[in-house]
Amino acid sequence: VQLQASGGGLVQTGGSLRLACAASGRTFSDVTMGWFRQAPGKEREFVAAISFNGGTTKYEDSAKGRFTISRDNAKNTMFLQMNSLKPADTAVYYCAAYAVPRTSLIYAESASGYDSWGQGTLVTVSS
């Protein structure tokens, strides 16, 4: 599957951004999807994941209560609504598609399960 992430930008602390990930090339409604991020000098880390039908979501602890992952299977698009942003959220955000169709989120935090990655979109939160 080909993925195109968008929606990043510069925002002040406490602000909001909505990232989008447009997918093509595979039946999107069969694909578990995730968001990861990589800050300068740090390893890529899990942010959130959503099941193929949108019924189940999973979040990294710092994202809980602030970020919301969603998807529109009719439009082959996934979203990440980010509120109450902090400087620590500054990173390149990547969307990813899980390799195994219709899989659960039990191992969604591991990047090794994803076989397609978008190009990344930069989020910068100023203090």
XYZ file of all heavy atoms in Angstrom, residues 35-37 45-49 57-69 80-86 88-89 93:
260
model
N 0.148 5.171 13.671
C 0.957 6.391 13.624
C 2.170 6.183 14.522
O 2.037 5.718 15.661
C 0.180 7.605 14.116
C -0.859 8.118 13.176
C -2.203 7.885 13.224
C -0.657 8.980 12.044
N -2.844 8.536 12.193
C -1.913 9.219 11.454
C 0.469 9.577 11.469
C -2.081 10.015 10.332
C 0.305 10.366 10.348
C -0.949 10.585 9.786
N 3.311 6.572 14.022
C 4.550 6.577 14.783
C 5.155 7.968 14.660
O 4.777 8.745 13.787
C 5.532 5.537 14.226
C 5.141 4.113 14.521
C 4.088 3.505 13.845
C 5.812 3.377 15.482
C 3.716 2.196 14.114
C 5.455 2.068 15.766
C 4.408 1.477 15.081
N 6.116 8.258 15.503
C 6.822 9.534 15.400
C 8.289 9.359 15.754
O 8.655 8.424 16.481
C 6.186 10.584 16.306
C 6.311 10.308 17.791
C 5.518 11.349 18.595
N 5.623 11.120 20.026
C 4.927 11.799 20.935
N 4.082 12.760 20.556
N 5.095 11.540 22.221
N 8.971 5.969 17.616
C 8.146 5.423 18.676
C 6.675 5.372 18.257
O 6.214 6.172 17.444
C 8.270 6.242 19.966
C 7.767 7.661 19.865
C 7.844 8.395 21.201
O 8.367 7.856 22.177
O 7.335 9.536 21.241
N 5.974 4.438 18.841
C 4.556 4.241 18.580
C 3.743 5.383 19.174
O 4.022 5.858 20.278
C 4.130 2.910 19.189
C 2.640 2.668 19.189
C 1.989 2.301 18.022
C 1.911 2.797 20.352
C 0.628 2.064 18.015
C 0.546 2.559 20.366
C -0.097 2.192 19.198
N 2.712 5.810 18.442
C 1.803 6.839 18.936
C 0.394 6.270 19.109
O -0.193 6.369 20.186
C 1.756 8.046 17.979
C 0.745 9.075 18.471
C 3.133 8.674 17.851
N -0.139 5.678 18.044
C -1.515 5.186 18.095
C -1.740 4.210 16.958
O -1.025 4.231 15.956
C -2.512 6.338 18.003
N -2.755 3.364 17.133
C -3.129 2.421 16.079
C -4.638 2.249 16.083
O -5.309 2.468 17.098
C -2.442 1.069 16.281
N -9.002 0.940 19.104
C -7.852 1.835 19.024
C -6.897 1.561 20.178
O -7.266 0.956 21.187
C -8.295 3.311 19.073
O -9.025 3.537 20.285
C -9.161 3.671 17.886
N -5.672 2.030 19.996
C -4.649 1.831 21.007
C -3.752 3.056 20.991
O -3.437 3.579 19.915
C -3.839 0.569 20.705
C -2.984 0.047 21.823
C -2.423 -1.322 21.421
C -1.833 -2.061 22.591
N -1.348 -3.416 22.204
N -3.318 3.514 22.178
C -2.519 4.716 22.264
C -1.306 4.505 23.151
O -1.341 3.769 24.149
C -3.347 5.863 22.857
C -4.505 6.299 21.985
C -5.767 5.738 22.167
C -4.346 7.264 21.015
C -6.835 6.128 21.381
C -5.405 7.671 20.212
C -6.645 7.098 20.404
O -7.708 7.487 19.624
N -0.264 5.187 22.815
C 0.880 5.313 23.711
C 0.446 6.191 24.885
O -0.423 7.063 24.736
C 2.030 5.936 22.932
C 3.326 6.093 23.676
C 3.497 7.442 24.287
O 2.873 8.412 23.803
O 4.239 7.546 25.284
N 1.021 5.979 26.051
C 0.515 6.617 27.260
C 0.449 8.144 27.164
O -0.527 8.762 27.610
C 1.387 6.227 28.461
C 1.117 4.812 28.926
O 0.099 4.223 28.518
O 1.935 4.282 29.706
N 1.448 8.783 26.599
C 1.447 10.249 26.557
C 0.413 10.796 25.584
O 0.072 11.987 25.632
C 2.834 10.770 26.194
O 3.138 10.488 24.840
N -0.100 9.944 24.698
C -1.103 10.370 23.723
C -2.534 10.218 24.245
O -3.457 10.862 23.731
C -0.952 9.582 22.428
N -2.689 9.385 25.232
C -4.044 9.127 25.754
C -4.673 10.407 26.296
O -4.046 11.153 27.046
C -3.982 8.076 26.860
C -3.623 6.686 26.364
C -3.518 5.702 27.530
C -3.114 4.326 27.036
N -2.919 3.375 28.147
N -5.907 10.650 25.888
C -6.620 11.828 26.350
C -6.339 13.079 25.564
O -7.053 14.086 25.709
N -5.281 13.065 24.738
C -4.950 14.244 23.930
C -5.089 13.972 22.437
O -5.458 14.866 21.673
C -3.529 14.699 24.226
C -3.283 15.108 25.664
C -1.899 15.747 25.819
N -0.815 14.855 25.405
C 0.125 15.189 24.528
N 0.124 16.383 23.957
N 1.087 14.323 24.224
N -4.763 12.769 22.016
C -4.796 12.404 20.596
C -5.959 11.461 20.340
O -6.314 10.637 21.184
C -3.507 11.709 20.181
C -2.260 12.557 20.251
C -2.285 13.871 20.679
C -1.043 12.026 19.858
C -1.145 14.652 20.727
C 0.123 12.772 19.900
C 0.064 14.090 20.342
N -6.523 11.564 19.128
C -7.588 10.662 18.714
C -7.289 10.150 17.311
O -7.140 10.954 16.374
C -8.954 11.351 18.715
O -9.228 11.861 20.024
C -10.046 10.365 18.324
N -7.193 8.845 17.182
C -6.986 8.227 15.880
C -8.336 7.804 15.318
O -9.208 7.335 16.058
C -6.011 7.031 15.979
C -5.618 6.534 14.580
C -6.573 5.919 16.826
C -4.491 5.494 14.606
N -5.193 11.607 12.591
C -4.737 11.725 13.964
C -5.018 13.154 14.414
O -4.349 14.083 13.979
C -3.254 11.408 14.101
C -2.742 11.402 15.542
C -3.340 10.227 16.313
C -1.213 11.332 15.583
N -6.029 13.305 15.258
C -6.347 14.601 15.841
C -5.499 14.772 17.094
O -5.576 13.946 18.008
C -7.839 14.683 16.194
C -8.240 15.970 16.874
C -8.131 17.188 15.962
O -8.526 17.129 14.805
N -7.599 18.278 16.491
N -4.706 15.815 17.109
C -3.790 16.052 18.220
C -4.161 17.364 18.891
O -4.106 18.434 18.259
C -2.348 16.103 17.722
C -1.920 14.847 16.983
S -0.159 14.833 16.575
C -0.071 16.227 15.450
N -4.545 17.282 20.162
C -4.910 18.450 20.951
C -3.937 18.631 22.106
O -3.177 17.717 22.442
C -6.328 18.287 21.489
C -7.374 18.157 20.394
O -7.245 18.741 19.319
N -8.418 17.393 20.670
N -3.975 19.791 22.714
C -3.120 20.094 23.864
C -1.665 19.724 23.582
O -1.000 19.080 24.397
C -3.617 19.349 25.109
O -4.954 19.684 25.387
N -1.190 20.159 22.449
C 0.163 19.788 22.038
C 1.225 20.406 22.933
O 1.058 21.520 23.455
C 0.389 20.186 20.582
C -0.279 19.252 19.559
C -0.398 19.909 18.198
C 0.495 17.953 19.463
N 2.303 19.656 23.099
C 3.415 20.047 23.949
C 4.694 20.057 23.113
O 4.781 19.354 22.102
C 3.577 19.054 25.093
C 2.324 18.772 25.893
C 2.562 17.638 26.880
C 1.311 17.297 27.654
N 1.542 16.158 28.594
N 7.253 18.464 23.649
C 7.720 17.079 23.575
C 7.065 16.298 22.433
O 7.530 15.208 22.082
C 7.442 16.368 24.895
N 6.000 16.836 21.852
C 5.350 16.177 20.718
C 6.024 16.511 19.388
O 5.653 15.955 18.354
C 3.882 16.595 20.638
C 3.065 16.149 21.836
O 3.231 14.989 22.252
O 2.290 16.968 22.361
N 6.059 12.723 12.032
C 5.013 11.727 12.243
C 4.842 10.891 10.986
O 4.709 11.437 9.877
C 3.705 12.409 12.622
C 3.688 12.886 14.052
C 4.477 13.962 14.463
C 2.914 12.247 15.020
C 4.499 14.387 15.770
C 2.914 12.671 16.336
C 3.708 13.736 16.709
O 3.725 14.145 18.017
